[in-house]
């Protein structure tokens, strides 16, 4: 490993080796500067042409922008330098030359379209504001994991190659599994439920889900990251409490640990951790409020799913995160339990951000007979789910849980316009590589 000092740690009086990318070369004649960039920031390297070894000057100033170099020398205070210090080099090693023609400009002076950025993610993530999105994403996942630990959960990993789908309304990606038909999993739903009946009781998973969505939208991916929770002896209200805890913890983690990244994104002043309880609106109230906004051409009636414009109108009306509860049973999946006193009404809920849905969840049907009936009503063959249903005959406790779209959380938290900006290498209708 190269024994190097990060640019942010280089103090006047230190003798250091700094290594990174040539961000900029400013040649002023007798004096020239190379601005070297690493993950922590930038540092100026000074070349005084008349006073320094010719070869050293040639090497240092002869490289193209974005080449990788290591510079060894003395750090000195220099008020005119961008960071107040500069390095006077004794040696410059060119570790990797960059072509003079770059597909995108990491200094950000020239804007690039999203497809160009996605095709050149390596260069794109040299920009502080793009790198910041992924550092914040990592912090969101770290804080979510910690919040799940507070809740007493065990982290699990479930298979992504499966024999059956569970989430109606979206297609499956078929694959061939040793000559048999198989699919990429749409959700850990059934597996996480199986684990609440195990000795683990309360679990979470952060992993990929695969959905063959036909449409291309700014908020759908074909491979997304699902943050899933499931707990024994929870009802839907307990599950909503847990959901609120995890979402707020993600915001808190970012507020506490990502100030620099928020600054890079120009969000430091406006970033807010959501305060107070997220309002819980019943589906019925939700459609009434949407109808009252007058934003839709037609009035919604009981049983309609909430259209995107309706969600937006309600989001503007509420002005923050909110839950929609008590959905009609007929538009929620078979595994969601109905209310005991009203079979038309489910315990399903969604957590909404004013811009879009973030979470779906609910209490689950844990009674074997009811569960099998639900499969039949949804047109699914209970026999092909035998591996799942049979465990409901061996002591499956009442339970509840939810799934949170990881990229949607990042996107809504940072106000990104397109969900693809929240994924390193998005998968969509047009994009299978990189
Ligand atoms: P010469 O003295 O050989 O003619 P020059 O005129 O190009 O070379 P300077 O007059 O020393 O060099 O500086 C040119 C510009 O660079 C000035 O605007 C000066 O403020 C700036 N400058 C000089 N040294 C530094 C430094 N260490 N950091 C940042 N800016 C500097
Ligand atoms: P659902 O299908 O609503 O519920 O998915 C849960 C959450 O995952 C996110 N999401 C997506 N994000 C990006 N692109 C997609 N194509 C995509 N599809 C879903 C959304 C959504 O709210 N098994 C249930 C969860 C549960 O009940 O525990 C489920 O998968 O943010």
């Amino acid at each position: 490993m190269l024994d190097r000092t990060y640019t942010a740690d280089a103090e006047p009086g230190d003798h250091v080796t700094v290594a990174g990318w040539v961000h900029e070369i400013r040649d002023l004649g007798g004096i020239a500067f190379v601005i070297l960039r690493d993950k922590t920031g930038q540092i100026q390297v000074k070349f005084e042409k008349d006073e320094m070894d010719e070869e050293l000057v040639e090497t240092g100033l002869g490289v193209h922008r974005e080449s990788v170099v290591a510079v060894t020398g003395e750090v000195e205070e220099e008020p005119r330098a961008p960071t107040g210090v500069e390095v006077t080099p004794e040696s410059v090693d060119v570790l990797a030359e960059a072509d003079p023609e770059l597909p995108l400009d990491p200094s950000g002076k020239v804007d690039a379209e999203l497809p160009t950025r996605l095709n050149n993610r390596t260069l794109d993530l040299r920009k502080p504001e793009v790198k910041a999105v992924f550092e914040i994403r990592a912090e969101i996942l770290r804080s979510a994991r910690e919040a799940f630990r507070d809740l007493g959960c065990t982290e699990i990993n479930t298979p992504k190659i499966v024999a059956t789908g569970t989430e109606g309304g979206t297609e499956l990606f078929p694959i061939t599994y040793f000559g048999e038909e198989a699919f990429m999993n749409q959700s850990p739903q059934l597996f996480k439920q199986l684990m609440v009946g195990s000795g683990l009781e309360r679990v979470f998973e952060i992993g990929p889900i695969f959905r063959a969505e036909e449409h291309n939208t700014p908020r759908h991916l074909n491979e997304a990251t699902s943050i899933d929770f499931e707990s024994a002896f929870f009802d839907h209200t307990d599950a909503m409490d847990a959901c609120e805890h995890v979402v707020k913890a993600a915001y808190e983690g970012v507020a506490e640990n990502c100030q620099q990244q928020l600054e890079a994104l120009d969000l430091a002043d406006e970033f807010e951790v959501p305060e107070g309880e997220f309002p819980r609106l019943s589906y019925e109230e939700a459609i009434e409020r949407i109808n009252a906004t007058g934003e839709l051409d037609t009035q919604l009636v009981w049983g309609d799913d909430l259209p995107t414009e309706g969600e937006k109108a309600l989001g503007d009306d509420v002005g923050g995160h909110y839950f929609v509860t008590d959905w009609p049973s007929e538009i929620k999946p078979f595994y969601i339990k109905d209310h005991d006193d009203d079979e038309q009404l489910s315990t399903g809920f969604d957590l909404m951000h004013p811009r879009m849905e973030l979470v779906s969840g609910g209490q689950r049907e844990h009674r074997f007979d009811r569960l099998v009936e639900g499969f039949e009503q949804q047109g699914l063959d209970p026999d092909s789910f035998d591996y799942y249903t049979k465990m409901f005959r061996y002591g499956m406790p009442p339970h509840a849980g939810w799934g949170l779209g990881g990229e949607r959380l990042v996107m809504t938290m940072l106000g990104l316009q397109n969900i693809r900006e929240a994924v390193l290498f998005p998968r969509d209708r047009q994009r299978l590589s990189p």
Side-chain angles (χ1 to χ4, degrees), residues 120-399:
N120 300 281
R121 270 304 210 191
T122 308
L123 297 180
D124 190 37
L125 264 86
R126 290 183 192 168
K127 294 187 257 181
E129 70 278 16
V130 180
K131 176 168 82 106
V133 170
F134 293 94
E135 289 169 336
I136 289 174
R137 180 184 158 120
E139 175 59 30
I140 289 173
L141 297 183
R142 193 203 63 75
S143 326
R145 283 197 163 87
E146 198 173 289
F148 282 123
R149 192 163 318 143
D150 297 342
L151 292 167
C153 296
T154 303
E155 181 163 9
I156 58 168
N157 303 99
T158 64
K160 304 305 157 206
I161 301 176
V162 295
T164 52
T166 53
E167 308 301 321
T170 173
E171 296 298 312
L172 287 153
F173 284 114
I175 57 167
T176 305
Y177 191 70
F178 301 112
E180 256 186 74
E181 184 179 53
F183 304 96
M184 301 304 292
N185 205 7
Q186 293 167 305
S187 162
Q189 183 64 38
L190 306 189
F191 298 104
K192 65 177 180 171
Q193 282 191 262
L194 289 176
M195 284 304 101
V196 304
S198 78
L200 297 176
E201 293 191 21
R202 189 171 300 162
V203 296
F204 79 96
E205 175 166 10
I206 300 179
I209 55 171
F210 303 90
R211 299 187 174 200
E213 314 272 5
E214 285 294 329
H215 42 293
N216 234 332
T217 81
R219 59 197 169 88
H220 288 93
L221 293 162
N222 294 109
E223 177 175 350
T225 308
S226 187
I227 302 174
D228 274 274
F229 169 83
E230 202 70 26
S231 176
F233 308 108
F234 263 34
D235 67 13
H236 57 295
T237 63
D238 303 319
M240 283 189 270
D241 292 343
C243 180
E244 198 167 322
H245 174 66
V246 172
V247 169
K248 285 181 175 165
Y251 274 84
E252 281 159 12
V254 172
E256 270 167 38
N257 303 315
C258 297
Q259 273 312 309
Q260 208 188 331
Q261 287 80 2
L262 290 171
E263 273 160 32
L265 284 160
D266 221 4
L267 291 174
D269 294 336
E270 65 196 70
F271 189 82
E272 278 175 19
V273 176
E275 269 181 29
E277 281 195 7
F278 296 161
R280 297 180 184 186
L281 270 64
S282 70
Y283 165 87
E284 196 169 358
E285 287 166 52
I287 56 173
E288 278 167 14
R289 276 177 77 162
I290 293 171
N291 286 340
T293 64
E295 291 287 325
L296 299 190
D297 296 339
T298 52
Q299 295 275 296
L300 294 173
V301 294
W302 173 265
D304 287 344
D305 212 339
L306 304 188
T308 308
E309 319 84 77
E311 286 177 0
K312 292 222 170 88
L314 186 56
D316 289 342
D317 195 16
V318 179
H321 291 86
Y322 62 98
F323 287 101
V324 179
T325 66
D326 305 302
W327 288 74
S329 303
E330 65 194 42
I331 54 172
K332 281 289 171 189
F334 63 86
Y335 49 75
I336 299 281
K337 189 172 176 289
D338 297 333
H339 280 287
D340 289 329
D341 53 3
D342 186 350
E343 276 194 7
Q344 304 306 311
L345 212 57
S346 82
T347 63
F349 63 81
D350 284 359
L351 174 67
M352 307 294 299
H353 177 275
R355 285 175 68 197
M356 73 191 75
E357 177 197 312
L358 284 183
V359 175
S360 286
Q363 189 173 342
R364 318 306 188 179
E365 182 51 74
H366 69 285
R367 296 161 298 184
F368 176 79
D369 296 338
R370 296 291 190 95
L371 186 65
V372 171
E373 269 171 39
F375 273 102
E376 284 159 355
Q377 277 162 16
Q378 204 147 320
L380 294 165
D381 173 15
D383 288 345
S384 49
F385 292 90
D386 184 52
Y387 70 92
Y388 166 75
T389 49
K390 77 177 180 202
M391 291 304 146
F392 287 70
R393 301 202 317 248
Y394 308 135
M396 186 60 76
H399 61 281

Side-chain angles (χ1 to χ4, degrees), residues 26 28-31 33 44 46 48 50 78-82 86:
R26 285 177 31 226
L28 304 170
I31 193 165
F33 306 102
Q44 169 165 289
K46 176 173 70 178
E48 282 169 312
D50 297 339
E78 173 50 67
R80 288 170 295 178
E86 69 184 3

